[in-house]
Amino acid sequence: MIKIAPSLLAGDFSRMGEEVANLDRWGSDLIHLDVMDGHFVPNITFGADVVRSLRGYTQAGFDTHLMISRPLDFIEDFALAGADIITFNLEASSPADETIALIGRCGCVPSVCIKPATPAEAVFPYLDKVGMVLVMTVEPGFGGQQMLDYTLEKIKTIRRECLTRGLDTDIEADGGINAQNVGTVAAAGANVIVAGSAVFRSADPAGTIARLRAAAQEKYLGAIADAGGGHARA
Ligand code: DX5
Ligand code: ZN
């Protein structure tokens, strides 16, 4: 149940298709695509047309992370482009319920994201309606930052709430994660792990992905067992 979702953000944008194929070959469970609009975050990356052009390079799921101000206006574009999971930020200006419903109607998995300063409880009203929750472990906008340790407490809170409600919701952690700290992230209750720099700057990306998965797996199982959740042991 651990999924490693390397972020294309740290790859070579002049060879995006090849980099996506590389991520697939290296053993990624999902491909994490960071969409930034220069408004919700102070950086611009790429949009739905680029996602569409990458679709042919892998069978792996596209974990589409929208860091944009008006996600509702672009859900259909990203779904048609081949997104599988669509994540949007609760701090963005679109109505969350409507956005979640549209993602579902488009045949994608809805996912909500919170920035480091947003409390864990902000996602509680949506837990029954989403397949995944993304907890940012850095301020969104740039790769290569250091993980903010205080965000792990929020992962714990959300995992505890999911277990209480009997939900096996995926919890994704994103930003500054590497082989050294992935254990603490998984121990907090995250089972979908984004890693950009750690994978692309590695001399052995396939080995790094395997190590991230193994380290996360061990700690995650322990965390779920301690919290009294049974589903994750199967
Ligand atoms: C940040 C992005 C992340 C990030 C991951 O806004 O959402 O996906 O780039 O990259 P690393 O692992 O380098 O922090
Ligand atoms: Zn991301």
Side-chain angles (χ1 to χ4, degrees):
M1 75 297 309
I2 293 286
K3 292 173 211 154
I4 306 297
S7 169
L8 184 64
L9 189 62
D12 178 351
F13 274 20
S14 73
R15 303 183 296 111
M16 278 181 159
E18 261 176 72
E19 294 285 52
V20 164
N22 284 336
L23 288 176
D24 198 341
R25 196 162 43 81
W26 295 334
S28 307
D29 298 298
L30 295 165
I31 311 284
H32 186 83
L33 299 173
D34 287 304
V35 176
M36 305 186 189
D37 67 353
H39 187 256
F40 183 73
V41 289
N43 194 8
I44 300 177
T45 54
F46 51 82
D49 288 338
V50 171
V51 173
R52 183 180 302 104
S53 71
L54 296 175
R55 190 59 280 186
Y57 286 85
T58 180
Q59 302 283 323
F62 275 174
D63 174 26
T64 314
H65 180 191
L66 304 183
M67 286 162 274
I68 64 178
S69 292
R70 294 179 291 111
L72 184 62
D73 297 357
F74 297 91
I75 299 304
E76 282 161 306
D77 288 353
F78 282 98
L80 286 170
D84 295 284
I85 302 167
I86 300 184
T87 300
F88 68 95
N89 269 82
L90 289 179
E91 301 89 351
S93 63
S94 298
D97 276 312
E98 214 179 306
T99 308
I100 289 168
L102 182 58
I103 294 170
R105 277 205 305 282
C106 288
C108 297
V109 175
S111 163
V112 289
C113 179
I114 48 171
K115 300 207 285 185
T118 302
E121 290 74 14
V123 306
F124 285 8
Y126 311 105
L127 279 182
D128 297 294
K129 304 167 195 160
V130 296
M132 189 169 85
V133 171
L134 168 48
V135 176
M136 286 308 300
T137 45
V138 298
E139 285 300 335
F142 301 92
Q145 304 181 68
Q146 258 211 316
M147 186 173 83
L148 302 166
D149 289 330
Y150 67 85
T151 59
L152 300 186
E153 227 18 76
K154 298 197 296 177
I155 295 174
K156 283 186 198 162
T157 303
I158 296 166
R159 178 56 73 199
R160 215 178 301 126
E161 182 68 14
C162 288
L163 289 170
T164 303
R165 296 195 201 179
L167 299 170
D168 64 353
T169 311
D170 284 330
I171 300 181
E172 181 173 56
D174 182 9
I177 302 173
N178 52 46
Q180 286 71 51
N181 63 18
V182 68
T184 62
V185 176
N191 67 308
V192 184
I193 306 293
V194 178
S197 318
V199 169
F200 278 103
R201 289 195 200 138
S202 164
D204 172 22
T208 296
I209 290 173
R211 274 189 294 282
L212 286 166
R213 187 184 292 108
Q217 188 86 33
E218 190 194 322
K219 299 290 183 185
Y220 179 70
L221 287 177
I224 296 297
D226 288 349
H231 69 274
R233 273 182 240 137

